[in-house]
Amino acid sequence: MFDLLKQACESARNAGCEFADARFLAIHKQRVISRDHALAGCSDSDDRGFGVRVLYNGAWGFASSPTYTAAEVERVVGLALRIARASAMALRGGGVHWAPESAQTLEYRSSCAVDPFEVPLEDKADLLISANEVMLNNPSVVRAQGFLSFKRVQRWYANTDGAEMHSDVTSSEATIWAIAVGNDDFQQRNWRAPASSRGFEAYPKQDFLVEAERVAAEAEEKLSAKLAPEGEFDIVTDPENLSLTIHESVGHATELDRVMGYEVSLAGASFVTRDKMGEFRYGSEAVTLMADNTLEHGLATQGFDDDGVPGQRWEIVKDGIFQTYSSGREFAHYIGEERSRGACRADHWSSIPIVRIPNLFLMPGQEPLTPEELIGDVGHGLYFEGMDSFSIDQWRLNFQFGGNAVWEIRNGRKAGMLKAALYQSRTPSFWNACDATCDERFWQPHGVTNCGKGDPMQVAQMTHGAAPTRFRKIHICRGRDA
Ligand SMILES: [Zn+2]
C-alpha cells in the first residue's frame, strides 16, 4: 500500500517541493436507527481514496482521488503542484514555516474485542428495539428512538521526511432517547453510551435495558419539573455536561490556527491570545486541563496525526494557569515551539489537515471526594446532567449551557427536577469559580463525534472527560418562558 504513496512523495520532491505527504484511507461506516418497535433506517458505506499535499515555495497545494493507480497518483501530484504554484504567486511574506519532525515508522491499532461490522444486523436491531420497548412501557412515553453508529478508518501515511505510518481505528457510538407527553408539555431525555474507540463489546444489552428504564422515568419526571430559579447559584456538573463546556470554552479557544486568525471567516477567533501563555489565570487551582492524544479508547487517539507527528500528552491549563495550545507543524513557530503538538487531522482522504481539538479533559481531584460530598457542600444550587442547547460567542468567551436533566440541590441533596435551566458565564469567570472536582474513581470520558470546523466544513471526533465538578455562584437563567 505504501508504494504509490512513496511514489507521490518522490514525484513531488523531484518537482522541487520542500515537503509533501500522501495519505490513503479506507473508511467503513455503518449506522442503524430505530423508532419505537421497528428499525427506521440502516446505512453502510465503504469509501476509499488518497490525497496528496505539497509545499512549494512556501505555499500549499492539495488534490485527491478515489482511483488508486500509478497513473492517477502522478496526475494528482501534478494537480497539487499546479495549485501550490498558483498559491505561491499570491503569497506576501515568507509563506509556511514547517516544523521539523524526525522520520518514523509507526503502526497503531485501536483495541476492538468485538468487530461491530461482524455483528449481525439482527443483533443490533434487537438491542435498539428492546431498549425502545422498555421506554415505551412507560405510559408517558409517546416515542422511543435510538441509534448505533460504527466507523473503521484504516490509514496509510508517507511523507518526504521518510515517515511510513499505518493506523487502524474502530470507533462506536450509541444513543437512546424517550419523548414524553403530558401536563401540557413534552420533554425529551436521552442516554449517550460514551462514544469511544472500542468495538461492540462496549454495548452490553443489559446496560441498554437498565438505562432505557431510567431514561423513560426521567422523561416523565421532567413533565412535572418546576421552572428553574433565576439568579446566582452554586452548580454541580456531571462528566457528560462538563465535556461539552470543556470542548467549547477550552478546546476551540486553544486551537492555535484559530488564535492566529485562520478560522475567522467561519468559526471565529479566540480570546486566548499568545501573550497569555504561561501567565493567564484561566481557572482556579483546581483546574488542570490535559490534552492527551494517547488516551486509551480516546476518539482522537490514532497513533499519529495527518502531519506525520506521533500522538502526545501535554497540559493546556495547569493548576489554573494557561500553558500552551493545540498545534500542527505549520503553526508551532508562531509560539516559538520547535515541534508540533501533533493535533492536525483531516476527516477524509479528500480533506486537507487542520488543527483539531485533541482528547482534552479536566484532571480529577487529588483528594478523595465523592459526588455525595461534593453536592453535600451546596446549600441551594443546581445539578446539570447531560447536554442540551448551548451557545458561545466568536471569541469563546461569553456562553450559556443547558443540561438534558437538571435537578435542584437543597441542603446538600438532589431534590426535584427543574425545567429550562441554563448556566451563563464568561470562560475565565466560570473556570475560576471551580472549587472542587471529584477524585479519579468518578472520572468518566465522553466522546464527541460531531465537531465541525473548517471551510469547507470538516467533522472530527475527540474525547473529553471529567469527574463531577462544582462551580460557585454561577448565573442561572431560563432558556424559555413557561
Ligand atoms: Zn467543536
Side-chain angles (χ1 to χ4, degrees):
M1 191 57 84
F2 280 111
D3 286 355
L4 293 182
L5 299 180
K6 292 196 316 201
Q7 176 198 319
C9 295
E10 194 62 29
S11 295
R13 172 73 83 200
N14 291 340
C17 292
E18 297 101 272
F19 175 85
D21 60 12
R23 266 182 302 133
F24 178 91
L25 263 64
I27 305 167
H28 190 180
K29 285 185 185 175
Q30 191 181 79
R31 193 171 175 91
V32 184
I33 304 165
S34 69
R35 178 184 289 181
D36 298 338
H37 301 282
L39 282 192
C42 181
S43 62
D44 193 286
S45 68
D46 195 1
D47 181 8
R48 290 155 191 255
F50 73 100
V52 176
R53 186 171 60 155
V54 304
L55 187 60
Y56 181 85
N57 277 354
W60 287 120
F62 177 79
S64 61
S65 170
T67 306
Y68 196 54
T69 62
E72 181 69 353
V73 166
E74 286 305 313
R75 188 191 70 80
V76 166
V77 171
L79 180 57
L81 258 167
R82 278 165 54 204
I83 294 167
R85 285 201 182 101
S87 300
M89 286 165 62
L91 270 187
R92 294 190 208 102
V96 172
H97 294 253
W98 194 237
E101 187 68 28
S102 61
Q104 294 197 41
T105 302
L106 207 150
E107 171 80 27
Y108 177 78
R109 201 173 292 270
S110 67
S111 69
C112 173
V114 181
D115 181 353
F117 297 100
E118 296 292 321
V119 174
L121 181 59
E122 290 79 0
D123 292 3
K124 294 163 183 164
D126 175 60
L127 182 65
L128 290 174
I129 294 169
S130 300
N132 284 359
E133 284 172 348
V134 169
M135 291 188 274
L136 289 166
N137 276 341
N138 185 306
S140 298
V141 172
V142 298
R143 172 135 292 163
Q145 288 176 274
F147 74 81
L148 290 163
S149 193
F150 305 104
K151 184 157 85 166
R152 181 182 182 192
V153 179
Q154 293 172 272
R155 187 172 52 129
W156 288 262
Y157 174 92
N159 66 24
T160 47
D161 297 334
E164 282 186 35
M165 299 170 164
H166 173 245
S167 65
D168 185 347
V169 175
T170 297
S171 56
S172 307
E173 180 183 13
T175 299
I176 56 171
W177 64 100
I179 296 170
V181 170
N183 204 20
D184 285 335
D185 199 2
F186 71 95
Q187 291 288 340
Q188 182 259 80
R189 178 73 173 123
N190 64 42
W191 173 62
R192 294 170 204 264
S196 67
S197 290
R198 297 175 70 192
F200 204 69
E201 72 278 9
Y203 302 134
K205 185 173 176 182
Q206 189 56 29
D207 287 4
F208 276 65
L209 302 183
V210 168
E211 296 295 343
E213 189 159 353
R214 179 178 65 86
V215 158
E218 291 181 358
E220 181 182 35
E221 193 182 343
K222 278 175 86 171
L223 295 171
S224 52
K226 283 196 306 183
L227 202 57
E230 292 187 288
E232 282 198 343
F233 295 90
D234 295 345
I235 69 166
V236 174
T237 56
D238 90 318
E240 184 185 347
N241 180 271
L242 196 59
S243 287
L244 183 61
T245 312
I246 291 169
H247 181 92
E248 304 296 348
S249 72
V250 183
H252 281 305
T254 56
E255 293 166 328
L256 187 51
D257 60 337
R258 186 184 181 107
V259 170
M260 298 311 300
Y262 283 63
E263 287 289 315
V264 165
S265 63
L266 185 80
S270 172
F271 77 99
V272 191
T273 46
R274 287 177 292 169
D275 56 306
K276 293 183 170 65
M277 280 179 74
E279 295 183 11
F280 179 66
R281 182 156 281 289
Y282 213 104
S284 70
E285 288 192 352
V287 176
T288 291
L289 290 146
M290 184 70 76
D292 188 356
N293 282 344
T294 67
L295 178 73
E296 193 181 15
H297 307 308
L299 291 175
T301 304
Q302 51 181 34
F304 55 95
D305 76 350
D306 290 322
D307 282 350
V309 179
Q312 295 165 46
R313 176 181 165 101
W314 71 99
E315 284 156 335
I316 302 265
V317 173
K318 183 182 186 192
D319 302 329
I321 304 298
F322 173 59
Q323 303 295 312
T324 192
Y325 300 95
S326 303
S327 68
R329 292 175 71 175
E330 184 173 352
F331 296 94
H333 76 96
Y334 284 118
I335 48 173
E337 292 188 353
E338 292 186 353
R339 191 180 180 215
S340 159
R341 297 285 172 177
C344 218
R345 307 196 296 280
D347 71 345
H348 194 253
W349 50 263
S350 64
S351 303
I352 195 162
I354 54 176
V355 175
R356 301 306 311 224
I357 300 176
N359 300 316
L360 171 65
F361 46 88
L362 181 67
M363 292 293 282
Q366 291 177 356
E367 302 296 324
L369 184 67
T370 66
E372 292 73 27
E373 290 165 333
L374 188 77
I375 293 168
D377 197 19
V378 174
H380 187 199
L382 290 86
Y383 181 89
F384 284 82
E385 193 170 292
M387 301 175 187
D388 198 59
S389 75
F390 74 95
S391 72
I392 187 163
D393 72 11
Q394 72 274 26
W395 295 101
R396 299 279 143 180
L397 195 53
N398 299 283
F399 63 66
Q400 60 183 31
F401 287 87
N404 187 246
V406 182
W407 283 265
E408 190 168 28
I409 301 171
R410 282 274 184 194
N411 302 319
R413 291 189 175 193
K414 269 166 79 177
M417 269 187 168
L418 297 172
K419 274 184 204 176
L422 292 168
Y423 56 90
Q424 191 175 49
S425 191
R426 298 175 84 241
T427 296
S429 310
F430 180 76
W431 288 105
N432 274 286
C434 174
D435 80 331
T437 184
C438 293
D439 66 68
E440 61 184 355
R441 290 170 295 167
F442 308 99
W443 188 92
Q444 280 177 19
H446 278 275
V448 170
T449 57
N450 60 350
C451 174
K453 183 182 173 183
D455 188 3
M457 176 75 78
Q458 296 188 38
V459 179
Q461 50 185 35
M462 64 288 294
T463 292
H464 301 300
T469 302
R470 188 172 61 212
F471 300 83
R472 298 292 193 187
K473 292 191 174 161
I474 301 294
H475 185 71
I476 300 295
C477 62
R478 289 177 190 153
R480 62 185 169 117
D481 292 327

